[in-house]
Amino acid sequence: MEYSPYQEEVVQAALRGENSIIWLPTGGGKTRTAVYITKKHLETTANAKVAVLVNKVHLVDQHFAKEFRPYLGSTYKIAAISGDSNEKDLFGCLVKASDLVICTAQILENALINMEEEKHVELTDFTLLVIDECHHTQKESVYNKIMGRYVEKKVRKEGNLPQILGLTASPGTGGNKQLDKAVEHVLQICANLDSVIVSTKEFTPVLQKVVPRPKKQYDIVERRTLDPFGDHLKAMMLMIHEYMPPTVSRSLREMGTQEYEADVVELEKEGVKKENRLIAQCALHLRQYNDALLINDTVRMVDAFRGLDEFYNSRKTKLLDGTDIFLQGLFDENRVELKQLASNDRYENPKLAQLQCTLQEEFNDENSRAVLFSKTRRGTHCLFDWVNSNPELQRVNIRAGILTGAGTGANHMTQNEQKETIKHFRTGILNLLISTSVAEEGLDIPECNLVVRYGLLTNEIAQQQASGRARAMNSVYSVVAEEGGREMRRELTNEYLESLTAKAIDQVQQMSPSEFRRKISKLQKIAVMTRIQAERKKDERKQRYSPSQVQFQCRECFLLVCSGEDLRKIENAHHVNINPEFERHYIAGGQVVLEKSFEDWEPGRVISCKNCGKEWGMEIKFKKVVTLPCLKIKSFSMKTPGGKSTPRQWKDVEFQVKEFDFLEDMSSHFHDLDLDE
């Protein structure tokens, strides 16, 4: 294996068996250093067993195929497991049979909790844990849950813990703008990973040659002078404001901003809690209009119009009261005018003209490769349509593809689709990737000569990783933004934070070993105490009410549909309703298709409220025998003796949902069987 001198320098602490975080820029060969350390570890440690943890599914395959298998595959047994593999259920057995496992962190976490023998593992089964993109080891992340257990064992002086190796291109400053706070953040990450942080000191010039910094350009766009489409949307929003009580609309911030979105999201929750349908529905619709304004600000007016049009189309058969009739009527009356305004090129978004120039310029060279980052999945689809319908961009032979996160929703990609797209981009079938932040981290994409961040607000870590995708010589990192706009201010802040991160790391590295250890030890003790305290609180919250005291209502029409006693959880993940009476409240729609298969269940049809059409979740077929409705908590509000609430996740509910017991819970479905013999 070939190593550059700076890689040789940063692996020394790990080769001595110390816990360390390797800080190298994107493209600096972090994964290769991990392969080297793993190889040495396997060669020199008795009964060695290594786990490589990643935070995105597509990285499992990438690390396996491109890094670990080529160098270690002939000598050692390597297993690569992600949530999509069927082997994940036998994780415990696989670990026993392998020298090295590469998996998403969640799979290890599940195996640490699961006590069935073939599924269970202990941290002490491993001798080395490699944590990729380890700056995520903070707060509630899965990495931090795993490391939280590790730190607790360490504080309790339990032995046999594995060596830790973290990899990151930037630990960030935790959003802090002062040096002392940034230093605290870096120390906290070191404490969470129980590691020192190492970077190259001797060979910085060599590293800069290997990883050229792209040339950064700000493509500044003047504000739209006239925006009749946006103005018309705002006028309609004002009419909705006037429909609500005056105190409500006064509290909302500026339309067309993230702040306004946050305000109407809160307002919808308030409306649901007070069972004020007028407010809840107006807030829900205002969010749609605000989305349209945000889209109008990023892509084309027609994209913004289409989104609203689809929303109203899907609702017009289910108008329940005066509020619904008012909101639907408002859109229907203005639809034709909105459509006309949206198709008037004179008022089109100037950012698109600028983006077109930037792309044309780079794609004059037919070997160009570019990544265009957009903020939302929907944004990527809008930009994709725009590129494909733009004759100028077709002329320079742009072949675009979309890359977004994996998942099961309408706009999500499956993992296979992700793999295909990346493969096509690598081989040149595609030369422009339009991506959400999924490609910022760790994805091994060929050297791009252009990276464009388009209408994006993120933090300094994402910025560094995105610009790190521009690895070709003389590559360009372009930020398309409005003059004096927020994106511009954020990019400049990020540049400052990037240099602040480096200063903070330097300060941590300058500390004497004893001072560093003292600070880390203190942070670790605080973390353990805080965690124990939080667990206690969580248990108390779970016991606050008995299931019979809790009632569930449809979040849109407030129909009472079931009590907490009707619910059971399967595999600690799926919440199903076992009361046969529940069926009369919903209608089943189209079949749900999931790419992966599961051990005990398969998806059935989508289910929605019979009264208002709100989607509630889906049926699941359990052990091929019984079909049960599986509920999405976000589609309901919860009524308890303490009032109403709108939990975001099932883990936030304030009562204990019983585990599903097939015999006990299903006996009522099979009356004619005498099961008591």
Side-chain angles (χ1 to χ4, degrees):
M1 288 165 94
E2 289 288 303
Y3 280 93
S4 53
Y6 69 83
Q7 285 172 311
E8 198 60 56
E9 181 185 6
V10 296
V11 300
Q12 292 311 312
L15 294 182
R16 292 194 295 272
E18 296 166 26
N19 288 357
S20 60
I21 296 166
I22 290 180
W23 173 49
L24 281 176
T26 300
K30 287 182 289 297
T31 321
R32 193 60 51 87
T33 60
V35 174
Y36 181 61
I37 291 163
T38 302
K39 181 173 184 285
K40 290 282 186 238
H41 179 87
L42 287 165
E43 286 166 0
T44 56
T45 313
N47 303 320
K49 202 170 281 297
V50 183
V52 177
L53 304 182
V54 298
N55 63 330
K56 300 238 168 82
V57 178
H58 52 75
L59 296 177
V60 172
D61 203 45
Q62 181 180 302
H63 284 349
F64 173 65
K66 298 194 78 124
E67 300 284 349
F68 287 90
R69 187 175 54 192
Y71 293 105
L72 305 174
S74 55
T75 325
Y76 299 102
K77 275 201 178 123
I78 310 179
I81 309 138
S82 73
D84 274 14
S85 353
N86 294 331
E87 302 94 67
K88 69 171 188 290
D89 299 319
L90 304 168
F91 189 68
C93 303
L94 263 172
V95 168
K96 282 195 181 71
S98 313
D99 301 306
L100 163 64
V101 291
I102 305 171
C103 63
T104 41
Q106 189 61 53
I107 286 185
L108 176 61
E109 171 67 11
N110 295 350
L112 290 167
I113 302 169
N114 197 321
M115 287 304 158
E116 290 176 44
E117 194 183 337
E118 57 270 21
K119 299 184 183 182
H120 181 66
V121 297
E122 288 287 339
L123 278 174
T124 47
D125 294 344
F126 299 98
T127 52
L128 170 66
L129 281 188
V130 180
I131 300 182
D132 190 34
E133 308 288 357
C134 69
H135 50 271
H136 291 296
T137 312
Q138 48 175 324
K139 305 194 178 95
E140 298 298 304
S141 74
V142 188
Y143 280 166
N144 210 24
K145 283 182 185 160
I146 293 168
M147 284 309 298
R149 287 197 190 83
Y150 181 102
V151 169
E152 191 170 329
K153 284 179 187 294
K154 184 204 161 188
V155 169
R156 294 182 195 278
K157 302 205 166 19
E158 293 179 25
N160 275 344
L161 287 170
Q163 179 184 339
I164 299 292
L165 172 65
L167 308 172
T168 181
S170 171
T173 67
N176 299 300
K177 297 192 171 79
Q178 283 90 30
L179 182 58
D180 55 340
K181 290 271 185 254
V183 169
E184 275 173 36
H185 171 76
V186 173
L187 278 170
Q188 186 66 61
I189 297 266
C190 289
N192 294 350
L193 286 152
D194 193 40
S195 295
V196 296
I197 184 163
V198 292
S199 55
T200 178
K201 296 282 176 227
E202 308 286 315
F203 299 104
T204 314
V206 183
L207 180 59
Q208 280 162 348
K209 266 210 190 71
V210 176
V211 185
R213 291 286 289 177
K215 170 175 125 261
K216 187 158 187 176
Q217 64 182 42
Y218 286 105
D219 294 328
I220 301 304
V221 178
E222 287 180 18
R223 293 200 109 142
R224 270 188 187 158
T225 36
L226 292 170
D227 179 16
F229 176 76
D231 294 341
H232 198 91
L233 289 175
K234 286 178 183 168
M236 291 167 75
M237 289 163 85
L238 279 174
M239 291 169 86
I240 299 176
H241 284 192
E242 280 163 20
Y243 189 78
M244 296 191 292
T247 47
V248 174
S249 47
R250 277 205 290 275
S251 65
L252 298 172
R253 285 172 282 184
E254 189 192 346
M255 295 173 187
T257 61
Q258 304 296 151
E259 287 82 12
Y260 184 89
E261 178 175 330
D263 290 346
V264 289
V265 166
E266 277 313 304
L267 185 60
E268 188 269 346
K269 286 185 200 157
E270 283 307 301
V272 170
K273 281 176 195 163
K274 294 183 179 139
E275 284 200 33
N276 182 328
R277 197 163 181 277
L278 185 148
I279 289 179
Q281 287 301 307
C282 286
L284 200 77
H285 287 243
L286 285 167
R287 177 163 182 193
Q288 294 290 329
Y289 279 98
N290 197 59
D291 275 353
L293 284 174
L294 290 167
I295 289 174
N296 179 45
D297 192 41
T298 354
V299 273
R300 297 169 302 179
M301 298 181 284
V302 289
D303 299 312
F305 172 75
R306 195 184 311 142
L308 267 182
D309 202 33
E310 283 166 8
F311 174 74
Y312 279 100
N313 240 333
S314 70
R315 299 179 78 87
K316 58 181 176 217
T317 55
K318 291 276 184 194
L319 305 180
L320 298 186
D321 58 18
T323 303
D324 287 351
I325 292 165
F326 162 73
L327 291 165
Q328 186 72 38
L330 178 66
F331 180 76
D332 290 345
E333 281 161 32
N334 287 277
R335 186 179 179 277
V336 173
E337 189 166 350
L338 280 173
K339 194 173 180 177
Q340 277 169 347
L341 288 170
S343 54
N344 188 336
D345 290 346
R346 255 180 54 205
Y347 305 117
E348 200 45 276
N349 192 341
K351 286 184 195 157
L352 286 170
Q354 179 56 61
L355 178 58
Q356 181 181 318
C357 290
T358 305
L359 289 171
Q360 272 175 297
E361 200 171 312
E362 287 299 320
F363 278 95
N364 274 330
D365 169 1
E366 63 216 41
N367 297 320
S368 272
R369 291 280 171 87
V371 181
L372 169 55
F373 283 113
S374 164
K375 186 168 171 185
T376 58
R377 278 194 200 96
R378 194 154 148 199
T380 58
H381 287 271
C382 297
L383 285 166
F384 179 74
D385 291 344
W386 169 73
V387 167
N388 287 334
S389 61
N390 183 315
E392 297 300 316
L393 296 180
Q394 293 308 305
R395 201 166 295 147
V396 290
N397 205 7
I398 289 183
R399 303 179 297 280
I402 292 177
L403 185 65
T404 61
T408 52
N411 272 339
H412 287 74
M413 295 180 81
T414 63
Q415 278 163 320
N416 285 336
E417 288 169 335
Q418 277 188 339
K419 273 186 204 156
E420 279 296 285
T421 302
I422 294 161
K423 195 169 109 192
H424 287 160
F425 189 63
R426 280 200 189 118
T427 52
I429 296 172
L430 300 174
N431 56 13
L432 172 66
L433 263 196
I434 305 174
S435 172
T436 52
S437 63
V438 63
E440 280 173 352
E441 250 187 25
L443 255 188
D444 182 21
I445 284 173
E447 301 190 337
C448 300
N449 52 326
L450 172 68
V451 167
V452 185
R453 282 175 81 77
Y454 184 75
L456 263 192
L457 299 165
T458 44
N459 63 15
E460 75 282 6
I461 298 179
Q463 175 188 335
Q464 245 174 301
Q465 289 179 317
S467 74
R469 297 289 145 231
R471 295 184 193 173
M473 282 310 235
N474 314 324
S475 54
V476 175
Y477 173 70
S478 143
V479 179
V480 177
E482 203 171 84
E483 63 176 333
R486 302 166 50 160
E487 299 100 352
M488 191 67 210
R489 292 201 295 277
R490 180 64 70 86
E491 280 290 329
L492 295 170
T493 307
N494 286 347
E495 282 172 33
Y496 163 69
L497 291 179
E498 205 177 312
S499 63
L500 190 64
T501 304
K503 284 197 188 100
I505 291 171
D506 193 53
Q507 206 162 316
V508 169
Q509 290 170 334
Q510 300 294 339
M511 290 175 188
S512 71
S514 60
E515 182 193 3
F516 177 77
R517 271 199 299 274
R518 198 182 70 247
K519 290 193 160 164
I520 292 297
S521 179
K522 186 180 168 189
L523 287 171
Q524 290 179 330
K525 282 177 183 145
I526 292 171
V528 171
M529 280 154 55
T530 316
R531 186 170 291 111
I532 292 168
Q533 197 50 35
E535 280 300 314
R536 262 188 217 139
K537 272 217 172 93
K538 203 165 110 186
D539 288 342
E540 279 166 26
R541 211 178 63 215
K542 277 267 177 274
Q543 311 298 340
R544 195 165 293 168
Y545 303 110
S546 74
S548 59
Q549 292 177 294
V550 181
Q551 293 190 301
F552 283 83
Q553 289 176 297
C554 171
R555 187 158 173 163
E556 289 232 347
C557 66
F558 307 148
L559 178 74
L560 262 177
V561 291
C562 67
S563 115
E565 288 183 297
D566 300 331
L567 300 176
R568 296 289 182 273
K569 58 180 181 201
I570 294 180
E571 295 176 1
N572 217 356
H574 313 287
H575 292 73
V576 296
N577 189 317
I578 59 160
N579 186 341
E581 289 292 294
F582 182 67
E583 264 183 35
R584 60 196 177 117
H585 293 306
Y586 68 82
I587 39 178
Q591 172 67 33
V592 177
V593 180
L594 300 178
E595 192 185 31
K596 44 188 171 184
S597 58
F598 301 90
E599 199 177 7
D600 286 332
W601 63 277
E602 51 192 274
R605 298 168 298 175
V606 178
I607 59 171
S608 317
C609 176
K610 208 175 229 172
N611 191 35
C612 70
K614 170 83 179 159
E615 192 187 306
W616 282 354
M618 64 175 178
E619 302 167 323
I620 64 175
K621 232 183 189 160
F622 188 63
K623 293 202 185 284
K624 298 199 175 3
V625 180
V626 57
T627 300
L628 295 166
C630 177
L631 308 182
K632 277 201 296 210
I633 185 77
K634 279 183 170 159
S635 304
F636 299 91
S637 54
M638 212 171 76
K639 229 180 180 166
T640 64
K644 277 188 75 170
S645 61
T646 52
R648 285 190 49 165
Q649 293 176 303
W650 278 105
K651 65 171 196 276
D652 304 331
V653 301
E654 298 172 303
F655 68 99
Q656 199 75 41
V657 181
K658 280 198 214 143
E659 281 294 334
F660 180 69
D661 174 324
F662 193 83
L663 275 180
E664 192 182 310
D665 296 332
M666 291 289 94
S667 51
S668 61
H669 288 239
F670 302 103
H671 316 285
D672 49 347
L673 289 180
D674 189 358
L675 298 171
D676 297 330
E677 287 169 16

